[in-house]
């Protein structure tokens, strides 16, 4: 199922590539429908995250009504709040940290929604990451396994680890509740061999972000970076992957982004990702 990251169909209020579209989140359901998209991955910023309408009992019926009206699912949510304030370490860039109670609060307060996959980004913007932090991450996640079972949630970890660390992470976490968010752009930027990485992640991919990046560089338009889309499409097909695929591609604030996204959708059709 092809979807889009929330906020990509709205003008950025702050110049950030990704943020919750506080003034236009309702309009994005209609825009996504017109583009032929079937899902929106919700975005959760750090600032006032508990006030997000997805957690508001008065707003939830409105969200459900918009979903029904425009045939849009919300299968996943990206927890950008834990980029700014990780629960397993201090973010040296922002000076912020949190704890697993925040993660449990989110899982608990999503029970009246259809969201099942919590995407946990562990990326460069989270600050320095080393083996000690990996051990602490694994310890923290293992402590909430029973809570994930109770709330019927899974965590898809989006990480910029080397292949060996990724294998260690997956081996230490219960596959019923923990898996991978495969971000093909981040993987290519790190110089990973897609066959090697997807072999390590086989059977553990819960969610996918469609993106292109330069090798050791920034995000670029689909097809103009280091991602081997044909190879990835083949590998995913061989594994029988049939889960979410979320557009998180490069933005262009100077142009009509609806047209840009339409071009990305046409690009995805080459790999039968719109089926």
């Amino acid at each position: 199922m092809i979807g889009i990251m929330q906020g990509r169909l709205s003008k950025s209020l702050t110049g950030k590539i990704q943020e919750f579209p506080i003034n236009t989140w309702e309009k994005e359901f209609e825009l996504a429908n017109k583009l032929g998209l079937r899902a929106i991955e919700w975005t959760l910023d750090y600032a006032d995250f508990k006030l997000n309408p997805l957690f508001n009992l008065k707003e939830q019926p409105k969200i459900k009504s918009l979903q029904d009206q425009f045939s849009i699912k919300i299968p996943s949510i990206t927890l950008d709040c834990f980029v700014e304030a990780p629960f397993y370490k201090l973010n040296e860039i922002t000076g912020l940290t949190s704890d697993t109670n925040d993660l449990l609060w989110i899982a608990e307060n999503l029970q009246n929604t259809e969201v099942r996959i919590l995407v946990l980004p562990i990326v460069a913007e989270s600050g320095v990451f080393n083996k000690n932090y990996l051990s602490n991450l694994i310890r923290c996640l293992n402590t909430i396994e029973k809570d994930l079972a109770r709330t019927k949630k899974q965590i898809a970890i989006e990480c910029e680890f080397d292949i060996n660390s990724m294998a260690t992470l997956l081996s230490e976490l219960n596959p019923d509740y923990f898996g991978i968010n495969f971000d093909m752009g981040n993987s290519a930027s790190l110089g990973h061999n897609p066959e090697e990485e997807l072999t390590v992640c086989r059977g553990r991919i819960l969610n996918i972000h469609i993106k292109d990046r330069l090798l050791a560089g920034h995000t670029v338009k689909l097809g103009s970076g280091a991602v081997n889309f044909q190879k990835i499409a083949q590998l995913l097909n061989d594994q029988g992957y049939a889960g979410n695929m979320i557009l998180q591609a490069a933005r262009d604030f100077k142009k009509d982004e609806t047209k840009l996204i339409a071009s990305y959708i046409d690009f995805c059709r080459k790999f039968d990702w719109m089926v």
Side-chain angles (χ1 to χ4, degrees), residues 3-8 18 41-43 78 209 246-248:
I4 192 164
M5 186 67 64
Q6 189 182 47
R8 301 297 169 117
Q18 188 163 301
E41 182 166 304
W42 209 265
T43 304
T78 284
H209 286 168
I246 305 297
L247 282 165
Q248 196 190 29

Side-chain angles (χ1 to χ4, degrees), residues 71-72 86 90 99 131 142 184 202 227 229:
S71 301
I72 298 293
L90 173 73
D99 58 49
K131 290 184 178 180
N142 278 326
M184 57 188 73
R202 189 181 187 95
V227 174
F229 285 95

Side-chain angles (χ1 to χ4, degrees), residues 123-135:
V123 291
E125 291 80 3
S126 304
V128 175
F129 197 88
N130 57 38
K131 290 184 178 180
N132 289 333
Y133 295 140
L134 176 60
S135 297

